[in-house]
Amino acid sequence: MGDPLVFGILAIVAIVAALMMVTSRNAVHSALWLVLNFATIAVFYVVLNAPFIAMVQITVYAGAIMVLFLFVIMLLGAEQLRGTGVSSRGERFHQAVAALLGVMLITAVTLALMNREGAGGGTAVPTMPITSPQELGLILFETYVFPFEVTGVLLLAAIIGVAIFTLRKKRGTAV
Amino acid sequence: MAINTLSQLAVYSLVVGFIMTFVVITGFAYTTLLERKLLARLQHRVGPNRAGYIPIPTRGGKERKLLGGFMQPAADAVKLFFKEDMTPVMVDKWTYFLAPIITVIPAIFILAVIPWAGFVPYITPEGRDYFAIAPGINVGVLFILAITSISVYGVVLAGWSSNSKYAILGGIRASAQMISYELAMGLTVLVPVMLANSMDLGVIVEGQRGMWYLFLQPIAALVFWIAALAELQRAPFDLLEAEQELSAGFTVEYSSMRFGMFFLAEYMKMIIFCALFAVFFLGGYRGPFVDQVPALGFVYTALKVFLGLCVMIWIRASLPRFRYDQLMSFGWKVLLPISVVNFMIVAVMIVLVEEGVLGF
C-alpha cells in the first residue's frame, strides 16, 4: 500500500487534470488533460503493486485510444467549441443531466465507502496481490476464462462491424 | 554495493539515471557526427572536417590533421543555442512549447529498463542481476511498449500546434505511421519474451547464453528492425519530413533549440532502439569473457549499439523513401501478417518442445 503523501499528490494531479479536461474550451487541450489523467491512474496502479495493469493502462488508454481521439479531433478540425460561453437550451439540458449523474456517482461511492467494514475512507487493498504478469495470465485463463472469452467475442463483433461499415462506404453497396 | 531500503534504491536509480542520460546525450551529439561522416563517406564526400582536429607535425613542416571535425557537435550545439528562438504568431502557445519536451521525455524514459551490463561488482546493487537504471522490473518489455505508444504525442502536437498545413500533414502522417508499425513491433517483441519466458530485459539477455535470438528468429529480428526504423521515422520511412512535399514536416515552424530538441529525441531514440535490438536479438551485454570480466558488458553493448547505428545510416544512404500508400500497405499487409504468423508458430513450437514432442 502506498504512502498517504504519494496518494495525496497523485489524487490532486488526477482531479485537477480531470477538471481541466472538462472545463477546457479547446478539444485538443481536453484530450491532453485526459492523457495526464490516465497516466496518473497508471501511477496509482504502480503504487498499488499492479505494474502490469499500469503498463496496459498506459499502452491502451494513454497511448492507443487517446492518439485516435486526437487524430479524429485534428482531422475534423473540431478543436474549438463554438459559441461564446452562452449555452444553448440543449447544452443546458446536457449540463443538468451530467451534473445529476455526477452527484449520483459521488453519493454512491461515498455510501459504499462508508458502509465498508472497519469504516473510514481509503482505497481497497487487493486481497490477492497480483504482482507478476505470469500470475495475472494464470488467473485470467483459469479462474476467469469465461468472462475473458465473452469480452473477446464482443471486441471481435465490434471489429467486424467497423470493417463492414467501411467496406459499404467504399463500394457503395451493402455487404 | 548493498542497497536495503526503498529510498536508497531511489537515490541509486536517480544517480545512475542521471549518468546514463548524460552518456546517451553525449552519444547523441556524436551520433550526429557519425551520421554525417558516414553518409559523406558512403556518398564519396569528406564530410565535416573543419571544427577541431588534433595537429600532428610532420617533417615537411606541414601538419597532419587527425580526427578532423570531432568538435563539430559542439559547434552545432552553439549554433543552435544562439539562433533566434522565434514563435509564430498564430501557434497554440502551450502545446507549441510543450511538444518538444513531450518528444524528448519518452526517449529518456525507455533508458530506465535497458540493461547495459551484467552484474558488475561495486556498481550493481547486490541482489540485482544486471546493471540498469531500474534493474529487475518484471514488466520491462511492456514498459517499453507503453512508452513507445505515448511517444507519438510530441510529433502530433508539434504538427497541430504549429498551425501550418505542412506541419499538420507531417504530424498526421507520423501518428498514422507510428500506430501502424507499433502493432508489428509489439508482436515481434513478444517472440524474445516467449523464448526467454520473462518480460525482464535482463532475463532475456541471459536467455541468449547459448545462441542469439537473431539466429533462432531471423524473421522476428528483421520485422523488429523494420518496425523500429518506422517508429524512429528514419529513412526509408522518413516521409513525415519529406522535404519535397512537406518542406520539413512537423518541425517546420520550430527554430533554435526547440528544433534541436526534436533531433535530440530522434537520435536518442536511434541509440535506444539499437540497444533494444541488441538486447532482444544480439545477446545484449553478453560476449566473450563477459563472465570473467563483467565490466566488458558495457563495451559489448556499446559495440552492438555502434553497429546498429552504422546499419541505420547505411540504410539511409542506400534506400529511397517510401510513398505514403506503399508505407501503409507494407505495414498492414506485409509486416503485420508476417509477425502474427511468426508469433503463432513460435508459440506452438515452444509448447511442442515443452511437451516433449519436438526434441532439442
Side-chain angles (χ1 to χ4, degrees):
Chain A
M1 194 49 225
D3 206 303
L5 184 72
V6 177
F7 176 81
I9 294 170
L10 286 175
I12 290 169
V13 174
I15 290 171
V16 167
L19 285 177
M20 291 302 288
M21 183 254 154
V22 178
T23 50
S24 174
R25 302 284 297 173
N26 188 317
V28 172
H29 292 182
S30 284
L32 286 180
W33 285 112
L34 194 56
V35 172
L36 179 60
N37 186 281
F38 284 154
T40 323
I41 304 285
V43 182
F44 269 127
Y45 289 137
V46 173
V47 173
L48 286 171
N49 242 335
F52 183 85
I53 309 284
M55 294 306 136
V56 172
Q57 163 86 10
I58 291 182
T59 318
V60 176
Y61 287 97
I65 290 181
M66 287 317 293
V67 169
L68 285 182
F69 268 43
L70 270 184
F71 210 66
V72 170
I73 293 170
M74 286 175 187
L75 283 181
L76 294 181
E79 291 98 339
Q80 286 295 337
L81 270 183
R82 280 186 305 276
T84 49
V86 187
S87 34
S88 67
R89 248 177 78 203
E91 225 168 278
R92 272 202 296 274
F93 176 66
H94 294 184
Q95 281 166 353
V97 171
L100 191 69
L101 287 177
V103 170
M104 277 165 69
L105 178 69
I106 290 172
T107 325
V109 171
T110 321
L111 284 178
L113 280 179
M114 277 166 67
N115 287 340
R116 265 180 58 216
E117 276 172 54
T123 44
V125 181
T127 46
M128 186 175 23
I130 306 162
T131 46
S132 76
Q134 282 96 337
E135 288 168 42
L136 192 83
L138 283 176
I139 290 171
L140 211 57
F141 282 101
E142 281 172 0
T143 321
Y144 297 108
V145 71
F146 182 68
F148 181 76
E149 295 287 333
V150 171
T151 322
V153 171
L154 269 178
L155 289 175
L156 186 67
I159 292 171
I160 293 172
V162 169
I164 285 175
F165 276 128
T166 34
L167 280 180
R168 185 183 288 167
K169 222 180 225 171
K170 222 176 187 175
R171 291 187 190 153
T173 51
V175 178
Chain B
M1 191 191 280
I3 282 182
N4 303 315
T5 63
L6 209 60
S7 46
Q8 277 176 336
L9 187 66
V11 171
Y12 171 81
S13 289
L14 266 180
V15 172
V16 175
F18 188 78
I19 295 169
M20 285 322 294
T21 312
F22 186 76
V23 167
V24 172
I25 286 178
T26 317
F28 142 72
Y30 278 90
T31 310
T32 59
L33 181 64
L34 173 75
E35 170 149 49
R36 291 174 67 178
K37 275 292 206 190
L38 199 59
L39 267 183
R41 289 296 176 191
L42 287 165
Q43 294 164 348
H44 220 277
R45 294 185 283 119
V46 180
N49 65 344
R50 297 288 143 155
Y53 57 85
I54 301 169
I56 295 177
T58 50
R59 217 170 277 157
K62 277 177 72 177
E63 52 188 17
R64 270 189 65 211
K65 291 172 180 176
L66 198 70
L67 283 177
F70 80 97
M71 288 301 281
Q72 188 65 39
D76 285 342
V78 170
K79 182 191 136 190
L80 273 175
F81 269 115
F82 284 95
K83 282 254 177 163
E84 187 186 353
D85 184 12
M86 282 186 293
T87 310
V89 186
M90 292 297 283
V91 298
D92 189 271
K93 287 267 167 17
W94 274 100
T95 29
Y96 181 81
F97 292 143
L98 272 179
I101 303 169
I102 297 179
T103 318
V104 174
I105 288 175
I108 297 177
F109 267 17
I110 304 183
L111 280 180
V113 290
I114 296 175
W116 300 101
F119 182 84
V120 186
Y122 304 115
I123 59 169
T124 312
E126 270 155 39
R128 312 277 164 170
D129 301 327
Y130 55 93
F131 177 82
I133 297 172
I137 288 187
N138 61 3
V139 289
V141 173
L142 267 183
F143 179 80
I144 292 166
L145 291 179
I147 300 301
T148 45
S149 80
I150 59 168
S151 64
V152 65
Y153 282 115
V155 176
V156 176
L157 290 178
W160 175 76
S161 65
S162 298
N163 201 4
S164 144
K165 57 185 174 223
Y166 295 124
I168 198 164
L169 273 175
I172 285 176
R173 278 186 179 188
S175 52
Q177 177 179 337
M178 289 176 102
I179 294 169
S180 311
Y181 281 79
E182 236 169 58
L183 292 169
M185 195 170 81
L187 281 171
T188 43
V189 163
L190 287 180
V191 170
V193 170
M194 287 193 298
L195 289 173
N197 204 7
S198 173
M199 288 203 195
D200 192 331
L201 294 182
V203 181
I204 291 176
V205 171
E206 289 300 325
Q208 301 176 56
R209 216 166 245 280
M211 186 190 275
W212 289 356
Y213 291 157
L214 175 71
F215 302 120
L216 278 179
Q217 280 295 318
I219 301 172
L222 189 67
V223 173
F224 180 82
W225 186 254
I226 295 172
L229 284 180
E231 280 288 319
L232 294 166
Q233 287 127 24
R234 290 282 304 174
F237 302 105
D238 57 343
L239 59 146
L240 79 160
E241 46 189 80
E243 293 87 355
Q244 302 91 327
E245 305 155 30
L246 297 175
S247 63
F250 60 95
T251 54
V252 71
E253 302 292 341
Y254 283 88
S255 58
S256 183
M257 207 50 209
R258 286 187 213 291
F259 176 74
M261 276 170 86
F262 286 111
F263 274 80
L264 172 69
E266 185 187 332
Y267 283 87
M268 274 181 79
K269 277 194 208 155
M270 272 171 74
I271 297 173
I272 288 163
F273 271 90
C274 287
L276 286 179
F277 186 78
V279 166
F280 288 141
F281 296 105
L282 298 180
Y285 53 78
R286 295 207 59 80
F289 305 114
V290 85
D291 283 328
Q292 286 81 25
V293 192
L296 270 178
F298 290 110
V299 180
Y300 288 127
T301 314
L303 266 178
K304 285 164 184 172
V305 169
F306 178 74
L307 198 75
L309 289 174
C310 289
V311 173
M312 275 186 182
I313 295 162
W314 180 26
I315 290 173
R316 176 174 171 184
S318 343
L319 291 180
R321 185 178 291 137
F322 271 89
R323 223 170 48 218
Y324 189 66
D325 55 324
Q326 289 172 334
L327 171 96
M328 279 297 151
S329 59
F330 182 67
W332 288 100
K333 294 180 184 164
V334 180
L335 276 192
L336 188 61
I338 288 179
S339 51
V340 170
V341 170
N342 187 45
F343 165 73
M344 282 158 73
I345 291 174
V346 172
V348 170
M349 291 281 278
I350 287 175
V351 172
L352 287 183
V353 170
E354 272 176 5
E355 297 290 322
V357 181
L358 280 175
F360 267 112

